[in-house]
Amino acid sequence: MNLFYDTLFNGLAIGSVLVLAALGLAVVFGLMGVINMAHGELMMLGAYTTFVVQNVFKAVLPESVFPIYILVAIPFAFLVSGLAGLLLEKTVVRRLYGRPLETLLATWGVSLILQQFVRSVSSAFAIGLLLAVAIGLFLPRLLVRVQLAPRWAGLKGTISWISAGLVGIGVASLLGEERSLDQPWFSARNLDVTAPSWLRGSIELGGVTMPTARLFIIALTILALWGVTWFLQKSVWGIRIRAVTQNRSMSDCLGIPTETVDALTFLIGSGLAGVAGVAVTLLGSVGPNLGGNYIVDCFMVVVLGGVGKLLGTVLAALGIGVISYVVGSGSLLLIWPAMPAGLNELITFFATTSMAKVLVFALIVLFLQVRPAGLFPPKGRMVEA
Amino acid sequence: MLSAPLQKTSFRLLSGATALAASLSLVACGGEKKSEGGAFDGEVKVGILHSRSGTMAISENTVAEAELMAIDEINKAGGVLVDGKHLKIVPVEEDGASDWPTFAEKSKKLIDQDKVAVVFGGWTSASRKAMLPVYEAKDHFLYYPIQYEGQECSKNIFYSGATPNQQAEPAVQWLLKNKGKDFFLVGSDYVYPRTANTIMKEQLKAEGGKVVGEDYLPLGNTEVAPIIAKIKQALPKGGVIVNTLNGDSNVAFFKQMKAAGITPANGYSIMSFSIAEEEIAAIGPEYLEGTYAAWNFFQSLDTPASKKFTADFKAKYGEKRVTSDPAEAAYAMVYLWAKGAEKANSVDDNKVRDALVGVSFDAPEGKVTVEPNHHISKLVLIGEVQKDGMFKILENKGIVKPIAWNQFVPETKGYSCDWTQKRPDAGKFKM
């Protein structure tokens, strides 16, 4: 029985990380059909936000409030990743709706940009970037009065963005001469995010050791799921999002501002990625490559669960969690100690983490052969949307 | 920050051109590389080939920095004295990009286009295995600075990192003597941990230890709950865990182990072979305090040479930086090569290769000597991680000679490597 609870808890623990990481993607991919390869990097931004919040707490606030920094980091991470996602939607994704392949490539590019951004951002860099964006946005307004020859007029935007970029690079290089401004904020190194002491221990309950960090993540996952479900089912904007998902043109005709809905959906999905980023700092490393470690698992969960269904996502994640735990830890041998020798060897063979992963992928491939649309395939009119 | 890559590019372009242009571009790179009076009679180009981008960049940047620092120091002291001429060492930097075929490709470029005298490069065994055929085919010459699994002895590679008998084997002996007989092995799923664990299993069999379990994580994997469950089953009351994980997985491993109560306080002795000062800073010392590591150099090594190395490194790259074993090995190997060239009185790779055997250098770790098997005799240390992220040295086993072909593994038992012998199978022959 002990073994049963142990397996249940650990499966739930692994699964809840997957749910949390994949939840934002389920919203973006599931509801909007956008393949967002930068989802992992939005998680990374959440993790970096946690790092910044931690350091602010360390530097400014009294030590007694330090333990709650992780709770404060959650809304901040949601905001930072959400706004980054919003920017991504406004600048890139919006122009590529209905072109999944281009979206995939463009967001992949964005993910590389974000990785390199956190590696090399310094004060000089940030000032140059802000300046360039500001000039790029405002120069066209100043140029309104300037009359250009007709065949150059269309290039006004391009010209101002190019000159903005040049000014940005120039300013950044000039400021970069100053050593204090040239220091990278994070550099390419992994960052040290230390969980507060109450999340570093564990609780014994009925013979099962439950690390508090895992319990925290499970609680956070439940909270996030409840929040998303409530938002989609009960709130006005949630209902609009679902309406657009089911039938975009009809919703448009009925006066739902579909562009705002798209932006909002993307913001929420990205914000959830940020929250997942906070959670994974408790388990793993924080560095520019953080996103890459999760993105494949996220897609795996969403595809297995069935696109557009949160329940499918949850069940798929928990299923993967339990299976990879049972196989990877070799618990099957304990459940049935007297199993035949051949089977025993087979299970021992798969009982390492890397072989368990292979087996899980093989099982997913088999499952998708039987049910290509996942656990809960979209039905009815939604299919056409 | 933006200006740095631009300068690097311009430097690369120019370094392929004439000597004048190259030295001008060096001056343009900040002026600090200018020698006193510019008294050089010529120059010699060397390749620096490490991952400056991708997963491995975190680790390999430091190694490249240590190599550049050694080159700077040698240049400031007048360069390499060959044939009565002071040659300035000009580094040609290439990025291996954490991608193993790229290492091979860039090696070809450095040898054929840049005509470098030697290449300092590599970190993972996978990158070395990818580069090895290039150097053997072109009969050129690679210097590799990282501790590795052994079982290799190339005529065209010099290995300045530890072989297993200079790191893993003494560590296992120390664990057996002081910490217990039951071992659990955890590693990343690639060539180094798998070979190192094979060697350790043979050694434990020979010396009375027992392997109660082993597990491998794919590189970059951060979910270690199944491994923790296995450790708890196999070692319910504590025991020895040997960790050969590499990269990001270490962070996940130590964070989650601590949460699950697998800590030194509960009777678990954890020995790591890939955790140096640099990694401790990134993982957080509070997760690692009380665990062990075996290396050939620690920043806390209390000798004048070690202190000077650390002080110079900090002065050059920032007060917050730390030195570590890989950086020290990389630093020492540049000096060893320069001494070899001076001994050979030439920078020709074939002549330096023959001259290098027997060359010694007073490295930060102590006096290191190039042995006939192209590896280096090194100081063996075992340390315990302290609160401040530094190591307390628990045992100093003195200078140990390298053994390339492992003597615990049945397949290589009795084999040796000696490139000073003129025989066709000098790389691997029965003793």
Side-chain angles (χ1 to χ4, degrees), chain B residues 120-269:
Chain B
F120 304 110
W123 177 292
T124 61
S125 288
S127 70
R128 191 191 64 254
K129 294 272 184 208
M131 287 189 282
L132 181 115
V134 176
Y135 290 87
E136 292 195 336
K138 297 187 183 288
D139 197 20
H140 212 271
F141 178 15
L142 170 73
Y143 234 132
Y144 172 75
I146 306 300
Q147 46 83 310
Y148 80 116
E149 67 279 4
Q151 307 297 58
E152 187 180 295
C153 189
S154 169
K155 187 185 170 197
N156 299 84
I157 300 184
F158 278 83
Y159 309 81
S160 77
T163 52
N165 76 300
Q166 294 170 316
Q167 188 193 25
E169 287 176 22
V172 169
Q173 276 159 7
W174 182 84
L175 287 167
L176 279 170
K177 199 172 134 214
N178 298 300
K179 297 294 167 189
K181 307 274 182 213
D182 290 343
F183 280 61
F184 194 100
L185 312 177
V186 182
S188 295
D189 207 352
Y190 76 105
V191 54
Y192 167 68
R194 288 221 177 235
T195 317
N197 284 348
T198 310
I199 293 170
M200 259 185 275
K201 280 192 272 183
E202 295 293 341
Q203 185 189 357
L204 287 169
K205 217 189 279 171
E207 295 182 349
K210 201 171 117 203
V211 177
V212 294
E214 64 178 309
D215 205 334
Y216 296 94
L217 273 177
L219 270 175
N221 190 302
T222 51
E223 187 53 79
V224 295
I227 291 189
I228 286 170
K230 276 168 124 178
I231 293 176
K232 286 199 158 170
Q233 280 162 23
L235 299 168
K237 295 201 170 67
V240 178
I241 300 163
V242 177
N243 160 30
T244 45
L245 290 171
N246 235 313
D248 295 351
S249 306
N250 268 310
V251 188
F253 182 67
F254 282 103
K255 279 189 178 173
Q256 295 178 37
M257 293 264 279
K258 175 130 191 171
I262 302 182
T263 55
N266 292 343
Y268 292 91
S269 308

Side-chain angles (χ1 to χ4, degrees), chain A residues 306-331:
Chain A
V307 173
K309 286 280 182 182
L310 291 185
L311 184 63
T313 305
V314 174
L315 287 182
L318 295 182
I320 290 172
V322 171
I323 290 175
S324 53
Y325 178 78
V326 169
V327 175
S329 68
S331 302

Side-chain angles (χ1 to χ4, degrees), chain A residues 174-364:
Chain A
L174 269 179
L175 291 174
E177 298 292 314
E178 179 64 37
R179 243 189 119 68
S180 58
L181 292 176
D182 194 35
Q183 289 297 317
W185 292 353
F186 308 113
S187 84
R189 284 179 173 68
N190 279 2
L191 305 174
D192 169 19
V193 178
T194 306
S197 51
W198 60 280
L199 287 175
R200 267 187 267 159
S202 54
I203 300 171
E204 284 282 322
L205 197 71
V208 181
T209 317
M210 297 191 272
T212 43
R214 294 292 196 173
L215 291 172
F216 178 77
I217 293 176
I218 293 172
L220 187 62
T221 306
I222 293 171
L223 199 70
L225 269 175
W226 175 81
V228 171
T229 317
W230 176 85
F231 178 78
L232 287 179
Q233 302 296 332
K234 303 278 153 120
S235 75
V236 177
W237 279 102
I239 291 164
R240 287 179 185 160
I241 289 175
R242 286 192 297 140
V244 173
T245 306
Q246 289 187 3
N247 195 327
R248 178 174 292 269
S249 38
M250 183 62 85
S251 312
D252 207 3
C253 291
L254 292 174
I256 293 175
T258 57
E259 288 203 351
T260 318
V261 164
D262 289 337
L264 185 71
T265 316
F266 214 86
L267 186 143
I268 289 169
S270 307
L272 286 168
V275 174
V278 178
V280 299
T281 62
L282 298 174
L283 300 176
S285 60
V286 179
N289 305 317
L290 182 147
N293 297 337
Y294 291 93
I295 187 75
V296 174
D297 288 345
C298 290
F299 272 106
M300 184 171 85
V301 166
V302 174
V303 170
L304 182 65
V307 173
K309 286 280 182 182
L310 291 185
L311 184 63
T313 305
V314 174
L315 287 182
L318 295 182
I320 290 172
V322 171
I323 290 175
S324 53
Y325 178 78
V326 169
V327 175
S329 68
S331 302
L332 284 172
L333 293 172
L334 297 174
I335 298 168
W336 185 15
M339 74 174 71
L343 194 60
N344 187 320
E345 265 167 38
L346 185 76
I347 287 171
T348 322
F349 176 72
F350 279 108
T352 72
T353 309
S354 65
M355 285 314 291
K357 197 148 196 180
V358 172
L359 190 71
V360 166
F361 266 100
L363 288 177
I364 290 174

